Amino acid sequence: MSVMNSIFTNQNEVISLKKQYDKSDSKDKLKALLKRMVDNKAIGITEDNIELLEITTYDAGNLSSQSTHILARNNLIDFNIENVSKFKEDGVIVKVVLNHPNDFLENYSEIDLSEDEMFSLIKNWKLESVKELLDTIVDEESDEFFENTKLVEILFERGISSDDTLFVKLLKNMDVEYLKEYFIFNLQEMTLSKSTIEQTLNLFLENDIIDFSTEEYDCIFNNLSNTELFVDLLNNLFKNKKLNEISIKNVIYWLGTQSKPISELYIDKNGKNRVVEIENTPQNIELLNNLQDINMVSTFNEKGDSTIKVNMRRKVPKELKTELL
């Protein structure tokens, strides 16, 4: 046994054996033989003979921790549910399942990885496997798993979008402040439903979160079809920012993303007198006051209990003309 082991651990002998294997017509038989010898510990495993060992993969359930580390580092371990406990003890379980996503997903509940180990899979698996893993996590994991902001960081870093079910889980369990960038990314990817978008924006409104760029607001308002919520968000933007920080050009664009009559609140390019009628609500009155402050609205007055008659300015104020070009 020691003579055989010395042959398989001598680098020169290993090179010679590898060349013989490459020329052989019985590669499958040689693979099977090498597999049995390694798994039965007839051959020692070292970095010197790894070039030869790479011709096949191994069960590794009876090998030393040092041997499993070398094999795992070189992606040479087969998945076997019976060996999971050993591979956990040896500290190689993540390296093993990284190469066997389907086997892991089929045995998910039995393997029971830690949060950090799961994050490692999300960070390193191919996109298709990560999507399946996320579906499984949503079904199997407790709410506590979705409290960890590291999950969103990895998804955002890898450019992995979220479906409604996952995003709602995140909303439920994580401070909405941490979801700003990831929310915008999902809007751009068009993966969220109307109800999830509105739910998220309502949370932003409740928490006074407004620190988005104008481009991000463009994206938000382009994906928002709830006019009442739009008006609340725009009013909140006026309330929390200095008026000179909000360009009239941006406001005109945002109003135009909505349905009539809100989208009709613009200054006619030809200087014509424009009258718009909108619903009489406290939110709409606040909006019109804000639009007066930036010289978009001339006057407005109540027309009965349910309607407001709005007179838009006929000309763009001199100091704002450049912004409209």
Side-chain angles (χ1 to χ4, degrees), residues 94-142:
V94 173
K95 286 187 174 69
V96 173
V97 297
L98 274 173
N99 295 298
H100 301 279
N102 292 336
D103 292 306
F104 173 74
L105 291 168
E106 288 172 10
N107 297 277
Y108 182 88
S109 58
E110 296 178 58
I111 297 176
D112 191 28
L113 296 185
S114 68
E115 275 190 15
D116 283 339
E117 289 169 335
M118 296 282 277
F119 292 149
S120 183
L121 298 184
I122 296 170
K123 197 169 185 177
N124 292 286
W125 267 358
K126 290 182 179 179
L127 183 59
E128 182 181 341
S129 297
V130 172
K131 290 284 190 180
E132 289 186 53
L133 176 58
L134 291 172
D135 289 342
T136 304
I137 288 172
V138 167
D139 291 338
E140 300 286 339
E141 294 297 328
S142 66

Side-chain angles (χ1 to χ4, degrees), residues 15-177:
I15 293 171
S16 176
L17 289 168
K18 180 63 165 58
K19 287 179 179 177
Q20 291 177 50
Y21 168 80
D22 290 339
K23 295 176 182 178
S24 173
D25 294 327
S26 305
K27 286 186 171 62
D28 288 342
K29 290 182 179 179
L30 291 173
K31 284 182 182 179
L33 175 62
L34 185 60
K35 192 180 186 80
R36 285 198 301 273
M37 293 174 72
V38 168
D39 284 330
N40 290 325
K41 298 191 281 189
I43 299 174
I45 298 170
T46 69
E47 294 293 351
D48 290 332
N49 64 5
I50 200 69
E51 184 180 355
L52 178 63
L53 299 182
E54 283 176 339
I55 68 174
T56 188
T57 55
Y58 308 91
D59 180 79
N62 296 315
L63 303 182
S64 68
S65 175
Q66 182 181 356
S67 295
T68 59
H69 271 274
I70 294 173
L71 292 177
R73 193 158 55 243
N74 290 278
N75 306 327
L76 299 178
I77 296 182
D78 295 326
F79 181 87
N80 184 339
I81 190 65
E82 295 178 4
N83 294 333
V84 166
S85 295
K86 173 183 170 47
F87 294 154
K88 280 188 174 184
E89 290 174 12
D90 290 351
V92 298
I93 186 62
V94 173
K95 286 187 174 69
V96 173
V97 297
L98 274 173
N99 295 298
H100 301 279
N102 292 336
D103 292 306
F104 173 74
L105 291 168
E106 288 172 10
N107 297 277
Y108 182 88
S109 58
E110 296 178 58
I111 297 176
D112 191 28
L113 296 185
S114 68
E115 275 190 15
D116 283 339
E117 289 169 335
M118 296 282 277
F119 292 149
S120 183
L121 298 184
I122 296 170
K123 197 169 185 177
N124 292 286
W125 267 358
K126 290 182 179 179
L127 183 59
E128 182 181 341
S129 297
V130 172
K131 290 284 190 180
E132 289 186 53
L133 176 58
L134 291 172
D135 289 342
T136 304
I137 288 172
V138 167
D139 291 338
E140 300 286 339
E141 294 297 328
S142 66
D143 285 351
E144 186 179 355
F145 184 90
F146 301 92
E147 295 173 2
N148 195 326
T149 57
K150 191 174 180 180
L151 173 60
V152 171
E153 289 170 9
I154 294 171
L155 294 176
F156 188 55
E157 181 184 297
R158 287 204 63 189
I160 298 172
S161 58
S162 169
D163 62 13
D164 258 13
T165 310
L166 172 58
F167 200 86
V168 169
K169 274 272 191 182
L170 295 171
L171 273 181
K172 178 182 175 184
N173 295 287
M174 192 177 293
D175 188 334
V176 70
E177 176 76 25

Side-chain angles (χ1 to χ4, degrees), residues 297-309:
V297 167
S298 176
T299 60
F300 63 90
N301 51 72
E302 296 182 9
K303 183 183 176 183
D305 293 332
S306 60
T307 306
I308 303 172
K309 181 180 177 181

Side-chain angles (χ1 to χ4, degrees), residues 243-266:
L243 291 180
N244 59 10
E245 291 179 359
I246 302 172
S247 165
I248 190 173
K249 182 178 179 181
N250 298 130
V251 176
I252 289 172
Y253 178 77
W254 296 336
L255 290 165
T257 65
Q258 300 303 296
S259 57
K260 294 180 180 180
I262 294 297
S263 62
E264 296 291 296
L265 297 172
Y266 62 86

